[in-house]
Structure formats: C-alpha cells, structure tokens
Amino acid sequence: MNTENLNQNIDPAANQGAGEKTFTQDDVNRIVQDRLAKDREKASKELGEREQELARREFRLNSRQKLIDRGYPENILDALNCSSEEAFNKALDIIDSLIKERTPSEEEKAEMEARRKAAASAPKFTDKSEPRQSGIDMIRKAMNLQ
C-alpha cells in the first residue's frame, strides 16, 4: 500500500528521461528574466561609458576652442589641468595673469626703446678698427693727458 501511494505522488513528467532536469514555466521565466536583466545592465554600463567618453571629447574640444579664442597655441592644452571646467578656467586665468604681469606696459616699452636708442648712439671707448698701440692708453689720449 505504501508503494502505491508513492507511485501516485510521483509526477510522470519527471520520469521522462533519466538524468534530464525539467523546468516549470516559472523557472524558465525566472531564468530568462535574469539573463535579460544582466544584458540590460551590461548595455546600460556600456552606454554610460560611451556617454562619459563623448563628454570628455566635447570638453576637450571646448577647451581647445577657449585657448584659441584667447590667443594661445592649442598645443598647451596637454599642460593644463583639464579635470573639470572650473579647474581649466582657473588654469587659464593663471596664465592670463602671468602674461599680463610679465608683459611690459606701453610706458615701459617706450622707456626700453629709449634706452636701446641711447645705448646704440653712445660713444664707444675703444676703437677696434685700429690696432692698439702698445703703451698708449686710449682714455688718456682722448683727454689729452699724454
């Protein structure tokens, strides 16, 4: 009697193949949903990476354009801090202040030009066109102290 009850409780679909596992529709749905979730997560991650790369490229192009607009060569872009827009703008401001600090004003330029002209027109104390005469001091000769 016990054997009959056991045989009645056994599912005939479970005994179809020896060693084969059968899945219920709920099991199949769960497996498919898990795989779809993994695929969606992977696609979402790839999309996020692509968006980040696109944002980096766009920022680099905008930074390059800012350099050109300010009159700087674009090859200094690699030397500047491009981690964020604020950091890049701060680096540009530092360069602007350094250039302004080291660029002479119009008054300083005029003074430097006047000094250059004065130095060019100043008399020379040695005459290199004539060979030096031994024992004669050129300054003493110029002052008529011989």
Side-chain angles (χ1 to χ4, degrees), residues 17 20 29 43 50-51 55 66-67 69 104 113 124 128 145:
E20 289 184 21
N29 289 344
R50 286 182 183 172
E51 286 177 352
K66 279 184 184 179
L67 282 174
D69 290 345
E113 183 64 24
K124 307 291 186 254
K128 295 188 180 188
L145 297 176

Side-chain angles (χ1 to χ4, degrees), residues 4-145:
E4 284 181 339
N5 286 341
L6 286 175
N7 286 339
Q8 288 175 356
N9 291 336
I10 295 177
D11 186 12
N15 290 331
Q16 286 179 354
E20 289 184 21
K21 184 175 181 181
T22 58
F23 296 100
T24 64
Q25 186 63 41
D26 290 337
D27 291 339
V28 171
N29 289 344
R30 181 184 46 80
I31 292 169
V32 169
Q33 286 176 354
D34 288 346
R35 287 186 183 170
L36 285 174
K38 287 178 183 178
D39 286 344
R40 284 185 190 127
E41 183 179 326
K42 181 180 175 184
S44 175
K45 183 179 177 184
E46 288 175 0
L47 182 62
E49 289 172 357
R50 286 182 183 172
E51 286 177 352
Q52 286 178 347
E53 179 62 27
L54 182 61
R56 279 192 295 270
R57 287 181 180 180
E58 183 179 5
F59 177 70
R60 185 163 176 85
L61 285 173
N62 290 340
S63 300
R64 181 177 163 267
Q65 188 60 46
K66 279 184 184 179
L67 282 174
I68 292 169
D69 290 345
R70 289 196 184 187
Y72 298 123
E74 60 186 82
N75 60 357
I76 66 168
L77 182 63
D78 293 330
L80 298 177
N81 183 355
C82 294
S83 61
S84 69
E85 189 164 348
E86 293 81 23
F88 181 74
N89 288 335
K90 184 178 179 183
L92 279 180
D93 291 341
I94 290 171
I95 290 175
D96 284 342
S97 65
L98 282 173
I99 289 177
K100 186 177 180 181
E101 177 183 305
R102 295 181 182 204
T103 302
S105 66
E106 292 301 320
E107 292 174 1
E108 292 170 328
K109 286 180 185 178
E111 184 180 326
M112 288 177 4
E113 183 64 24
R115 286 183 186 173
R116 187 189 62 77
K117 286 181 181 178
S121 65
K124 307 291 186 254
F125 290 108
T126 59
D127 186 9
K128 295 188 180 188
S129 62
E130 296 178 12
R132 280 193 98 153
Q133 299 172 358
S134 61
I136 300 178
D137 189 359
M138 296 293 287
I139 295 176
R140 288 178 120 349
K141 183 178 178 183
M143 300 290 216
N144 291 324
L145 297 176

